[in-house]
Amino acid sequence: MKKQTQMENFIRNLPKVELHLHIEGTFEPELMFKIARRNGIKLSYQSVEELKTVYNFSDLQDFLDIYYAGANALQTEQDFYDLTMSYFEKIYRQNVIHTEIMFDPQTHTNRGIPFETIIKGIHRAQKDAEKKFGISSNLIMSFLRNLSAKSAFETLEQASDYKEWITAVGLDSSEIGHPPSKFKDVFKEARKQGYLLVAHAGEEGPPEYVWEALNILEVNRIDHGNRSLEDEKLIAELAARKMPLTVCPLSNVKLRNVEKIENHPIKKMLDYRLMATVNSDDPAYFGGYINENFLAIVRALNLTKEHVFQLVKNAVDASFMNKADKEATSNNLEKYFKQHND
Ligand code: HPA
Ligand code: ZN
């Protein structure tokens, strides 16, 4: 078999773990039109093709405006179920065995959708996916950082009846001008309540925001973290702490944080011994799910099977699985790698 095809098969067949995924970012245009139609909602675009023409983003905010507009079509518990289930169907075909899904409650509660409608739909799909596909998953509730800390507190309060369904809280949306420190108190309260913590930092924002996420929010993982590479001390700190970075290569190119995939810093991150992982972020908008992300970096950066294995192993170790599941998954992955590394 040709070397290229062999590598592609290796990536496709490898059991994988995804740690950075916005469920609203998996809303494929076809499903968006279907759900909008059944809810009697008129989208601003006439067709799937016309909608796709606006998927050419100049930056994070430009993307977010389109992403939030798309999410407006979601109204009922069944809509959230269908959205989540169609993501699980996709990743089942890509051999993802565990995923940690972010959802943005405020995107929906601010337009009158009850918290319970959102979470019940997502949770039911998680249960069904476990039964049907054997995919385990955790849920991460993300606060929109462009909104107030008070609004984040209200969201934390709304989640209290569903605490056992939510593993961690996160921080996403427009980064610049909304540093992690703005959410110090609500993250402290979430930690007190037993949630694990993640935050987007260093996607567009400066290294200082990554420092704040580490030292003020005391997060368990950094989402993105790319701009950490501008600060040598921060690189050393992230490496010393074995702090996971949930990196999203196609997202970085689509949102123009990296000029082209050949310039993507993920190989550099591994060279610095940073705990980088590969993720799809908003796959319906950025041109691919986890396999497409792996294929893109492997081709552009000439990564080896060892690199790919390290990236997946990092994701297992950085996941919020319980200790026994983590050990079992790690052992299976190692066994798989030994059998297929020829
Ligand atoms: N960055 C910040 N917020 C987001 C993103 C992202 O890439 N996707 C969805 N919300
Ligand atoms: Zn993200």
Side-chain angles (χ1 to χ4, degrees):
M1 220 187 310
K2 266 182 38 203
K3 219 170 171 145
Q4 183 83 351
T5 324
Q6 205 194 57
M7 185 60 156
E8 284 178 19
N9 288 340
F10 174 74
I11 289 169
R12 289 186 211 284
N13 296 330
L14 192 64
K16 289 167 293 282
V17 165
E18 176 145 77
L19 302 179
H20 182 161
L21 181 281
H22 303 264
I23 200 64
E24 294 88 352
T26 69
F27 205 3
E28 293 284 352
E30 291 76 8
L31 186 62
M32 196 184 289
F33 271 88
K34 185 176 153 192
I35 287 181
R37 205 175 309 120
R38 86 180 174 208
N39 288 334
I41 290 169
K42 206 168 153 21
L43 298 173
S44 316
Y45 310 94
Q46 296 300 318
S47 65
V48 166
E49 290 68 35
E50 192 191 334
L51 173 57
K52 282 184 182 168
T53 62
V54 298
Y55 287 8
N56 188 7
F57 314 111
S58 50
D59 58 16
L60 174 59
Q61 192 58 52
D62 185 33
F63 155 69
L64 289 170
D65 293 341
I66 290 164
Y67 159 94
Y68 293 130
N72 286 340
L74 299 163
Q75 305 272 322
T76 67
E77 184 186 318
Q78 189 63 37
D79 297 343
F80 287 94
Y81 176 89
D82 290 348
L83 174 70
T84 310
M85 206 56 196
S86 73
Y87 164 66
F88 278 118
E89 281 160 6
K90 286 252 165 44
I91 64 168
Y92 176 62
R93 281 184 252 125
Q94 298 212 346
N95 284 311
V96 173
I97 52 163
H98 175 82
T99 182
E100 305 199 337
I101 298 175
M102 270 182 263
F103 75 119
D104 294 340
Q106 290 149 300
T107 298
H108 315 294
T109 53
N110 282 353
R111 54 187 179 87
I113 310 293
F115 189 93
E116 70 166 335
T117 300
I118 312 161
I119 197 157
K120 282 185 173 168
I122 297 173
H123 183 75
R124 184 155 58 88
Q126 288 180 272
K127 288 280 155 215
D128 284 354
E130 176 112 47
K131 262 187 264 160
K132 196 168 167 194
F133 302 132
I135 301 175
S136 58
S137 59
N138 289 324
L139 198 54
I140 302 173
M141 177 173 80
S142 278
F143 303 125
L144 301 185
R145 68 201 304 158
N146 53 310
L147 304 182
S148 64
K150 181 167 170 280
S151 175
F153 262 113
E154 286 162 7
T155 305
L156 189 64
E157 175 60 31
Q158 287 166 351
S160 57
D161 287 345
Y162 302 96
K163 250 188 85 201
E164 70 276 26
W165 291 357
I166 305 171
T167 302
V169 304
L171 191 62
D172 64 5
S173 195
S174 325
E175 187 179 6
I176 291 177
H178 304 285
S181 49
K182 178 177 162 186
F183 297 92
K184 178 181 176 182
D185 294 340
V186 70
F187 267 62
K188 192 169 168 194
E189 176 58 26
R191 184 175 346 105
K192 208 172 102 193
Q193 291 184 18
Y195 293 101
L196 295 168
L197 309 173
V198 301
H200 283 54
E203 180 186 18
E204 280 190 350
E208 184 54 40
Y209 285 19
V210 181
W211 281 113
E212 286 192 8
L214 291 180
N215 293 334
I216 297 180
L217 301 187
E218 299 181 35
V219 293
N220 302 90
R221 297 197 297 244
I222 298 282
D223 290 320
H224 295 292
N226 297 37
R227 289 196 59 195
S228 308
L229 300 186
E230 295 168 23
D231 179 339
E232 270 180 31
K233 269 205 181 131
L234 181 53
I235 296 171
E237 183 71 18
L238 291 167
R241 291 193 195 201
K242 296 189 170 50
M243 178 58 58
L245 304 180
T246 63
V247 181
C248 307
L250 291 177
S251 165
N252 296 150
V253 176
K254 273 290 198 179
L255 300 186
R256 307 193 192 193
N257 297 312
V258 171
E259 196 195 338
K260 53 183 200 278
I261 194 76
E262 287 75 14
N263 295 355
H264 198 279
I266 196 151
K267 189 161 182 240
K268 214 182 282 172
M269 289 170 169
L270 291 177
D271 292 342
Y272 285 135
R273 299 280 177 263
L274 295 178
M275 197 169 177
T277 64
V278 172
N279 308 274
S280 67
D281 208 4
D282 301 284
Y285 293 92
F286 298 154
Y289 288 74
I290 196 167
N291 282 352
E292 288 77 26
N293 274 274
F294 269 109
L295 289 166
I297 53 168
V298 163
R299 283 186 196 126
L301 306 171
N302 267 319
L303 301 187
T304 62
K305 285 184 180 175
E306 280 78 11
H307 286 123
V308 174
F309 173 74
Q310 185 65 56
L311 288 161
V312 178
K313 182 162 171 26
N314 287 349
V316 175
D317 293 343
S319 78
F320 296 147
M321 284 181 220
N322 68 42
K323 198 160 169 265
D325 287 348
K326 201 181 274 198
E327 267 171 26
T329 309
S330 202
N331 290 339
N332 284 341
L333 181 68
E334 221 145 299
K335 209 168 0 160
Y336 184 92
F337 181 64
K338 281 201 185 113
Q339 283 165 358
H340 295 84
N341 186 25
D342 41 37

